[in-house]
Amino acid sequence: MRFFSWSNRFLLGLLLLAISACQNTRSRNQEENNQTLDDPSIQFTEELTFLEPPSQRSLTNQRFRNSQQISATNAIALPTIQPLAITGDIELSGSLAIAPLNDLIYKRFIREGYSGIINSSGIYSDTAIQLFCESGKFDVITVTRPMSDQELATCQANNRQPLDFAIAKDALVVVVHRQDNFIKNLTLPRLTQLFQAEKWSDVNSTWPDESIERFLITPETLLFDLFPEKFSREEPIINPLNSNFYKFYQPLTQELSATRYGFGYINYPSYQFNAKSFRAVPVEGQIASAETVQTGVYPFSRSLFLYTDLNQLQQKPQVSAFINFYLTNVDQEIEKAGYLPLGEQELNQSKNNWLKAMDVDK
């Protein structure tokens, strides 16, 4: 009996040592992760904690890319750069929503040898453009819309010559609760009404006599501001009734997914990573998908842009190299961020913009 008692104690001791070793390993891994997050060279503002994307997402995007029959021989190749040889820091800012894509490109830049620091801050596109043009801040900004004529003029008045580079495709997806099957399609006029009406039945008498609860990203980025050509601005929409405004998509998606008779819009990555939580509503008969967004058929498709100043591009080799690297590698990283790649023609145009600015022959 003593033998078995001693054996049990011995086995128990081995088990406790094994558990302790696992905990120490987990602690070391956690410490390493924390050190990575605290690394001053990685200063990206996080907006979203993405859920695991649906397993078919990559397959769907790949099928569409294959259907385009893009020929590699038509793709423009920029001059090869060596990140290991690049010195100097970079000031980067822009839309919070694009921060995950910027982060992926920057980490790849580091893995391939870049030893500088990219000081990055996530703010709204409007604010990033304003600071870029008026204050001369930032070497590079990434934004969810092109600059307006007025913003371009402001830049030029402050001796900044903005250069734009399209980098990805995105969309604002109109979504409702999974069980709200009564809404089959939205015309643009009817979508406009949804920002004004109190009840669903006020928009369509066959719809439920229930209050509309809206879930929206802050007023600065309402559909009406992003796509003024698609909506009437005779009656500006400011703080409509029963509206919930959010700075980030994550809490918006969580609350909207649990609310019957609510509606809102989210960007394409948020929709892809939470597709089972919502029902996307067709707009003008078009549902948001890889194909309709990349071809621009879906009404709220949009391109995402990277901007720099011509002088910064030509005078700071690290800025030129980073943009070159971004355009060269964005397609390899983009699916991880949930966005869609540009068509070949659009990406070639961005690369041509770089070549012209650097006075490089193709």
Side-chain angles (χ1 to χ4, degrees), residues 40 50 55 104 128-129 153 182 204 222 227 232 278 303 306 311 333 339:
F50 291 131
S55 59
L104 289 166
I129 292 173
F182 61 89
N204 185 325
L222 283 172
F227 301 100
S232 169
F278 302 105
S303 294
L306 181 154
N311 292 326
E333 301 292 343
Y339 289 111

Side-chain angles (χ1 to χ4, degrees), residues 184-196:
K184 307 297 183 183
N185 178 60
L186 281 172
T187 61
L188 293 178
R190 190 156 277 177
L191 180 56
T192 305
Q193 289 179 301
L194 283 178
F195 283 90
Q196 300 168 301

Side-chain angles (χ1 to χ4, degrees), residues 77-301:
L78 294 179
T80 302
I81 62 163
Q82 299 296 331
L84 188 62
I86 305 302
T87 59
D89 299 339
I90 301 171
E91 295 290 331
L92 168 67
S93 188
S95 169
L96 284 160
I98 310 178
L101 179 57
N102 290 343
D103 193 13
L104 289 166
I105 298 293
Y106 177 38
K107 287 178 179 176
R108 187 176 183 129
F109 204 33
I110 290 176
R111 286 197 305 271
E112 296 193 19
Y114 174 64
S115 59
I117 294 175
I118 295 184
N119 296 303
S120 178
S121 58
I123 53 182
Y124 294 117
S125 293
D126 292 355
T127 306
I129 292 173
Q130 180 181 357
L131 292 173
F132 178 84
C133 289
E134 295 181 4
S135 306
K137 291 181 68 68
F138 313 126
D139 300 314
V140 177
I141 58 172
T142 51
V143 292
T144 58
R145 62 172 180 83
M147 288 189 186
S148 67
D149 291 342
Q150 183 176 352
E151 288 165 337
L152 290 171
T154 300
C155 267
Q156 292 167 356
N158 288 288
N159 297 317
R160 300 215 97 184
Q161 299 297 322
L163 296 175
D164 67 285
F165 306 87
I167 54 175
K169 283 290 187 181
D170 183 28
L172 295 181
V173 185
V174 179
V175 293
V176 295
H177 191 275
R178 289 179 298 180
Q179 298 177 16
D180 289 341
N181 296 318
F182 61 89
I183 181 167
K184 307 297 183 183
N185 178 60
L186 281 172
T187 61
L188 293 178
R190 190 156 277 177
L191 180 56
T192 305
Q193 289 179 301
L194 283 178
F195 283 90
Q196 300 168 301
E198 181 178 351
K199 296 182 178 182
W200 288 94
S201 55
D202 295 336
V203 180
N204 185 325
S205 60
T206 66
W207 289 352
D209 190 32
E210 299 284 348
S211 295
I212 302 170
E213 189 160 0
R214 304 165 181 87
F215 295 82
L216 310 167
I217 291 293
T218 52
E220 293 90 340
T221 54
L222 283 172
L223 291 171
F224 298 88
D225 294 324
L226 287 170
F227 301 100
E229 73 280 3
K230 298 188 189 307
F231 290 94
S232 169
R233 293 189 62 86
E234 294 177 1
E235 299 180 25
I237 307 301
I238 301 175
N239 295 329
L241 295 173
N242 301 329
S243 295
N244 306 280
F245 292 103
Y246 300 84
K247 290 184 178 180
F248 309 121
Y249 283 109
Q250 185 183 15
L252 185 157
T253 57
Q254 290 174 340
E255 295 192 30
L256 175 55
S257 66
T259 304
R260 288 293 308 272
Y261 307 114
F263 101 98
Y265 60 88
I266 55 181
N267 67 353
Y268 196 74
S270 298
Y271 172 65
Q272 284 205 99
F273 297 152
N274 299 276
K276 295 181 180 179
S277 300
F278 302 105
R279 194 171 70 81
V281 179
V283 179
E284 296 290 353
Q286 298 293 333
I287 194 78
S289 69
E291 183 172 0
T292 61
V293 171
Q294 286 184 303
T295 58
V297 174
Y298 179 68
F300 298 121
S301 304

Side-chain angles (χ1 to χ4, degrees), residues 62-70 291:
Q62 189 60 45
R63 280 197 298 269
F64 179 65
R65 288 183 66 80
N66 290 342
S67 71
Q68 289 181 298
Q69 297 180 343
I70 293 176
E291 183 172 0

Side-chain angles (χ1 to χ4, degrees), residues 3 11 14 18 29 31 46 154 194 265-266 292 343 349 360:
F3 173 78
L11 291 172
L14 289 177
N29 290 340
E31 184 177 353
E46 294 187 14
T154 300
L194 283 178
Y265 60 88
I266 55 181
T292 61
Q349 181 60 57
V360 176

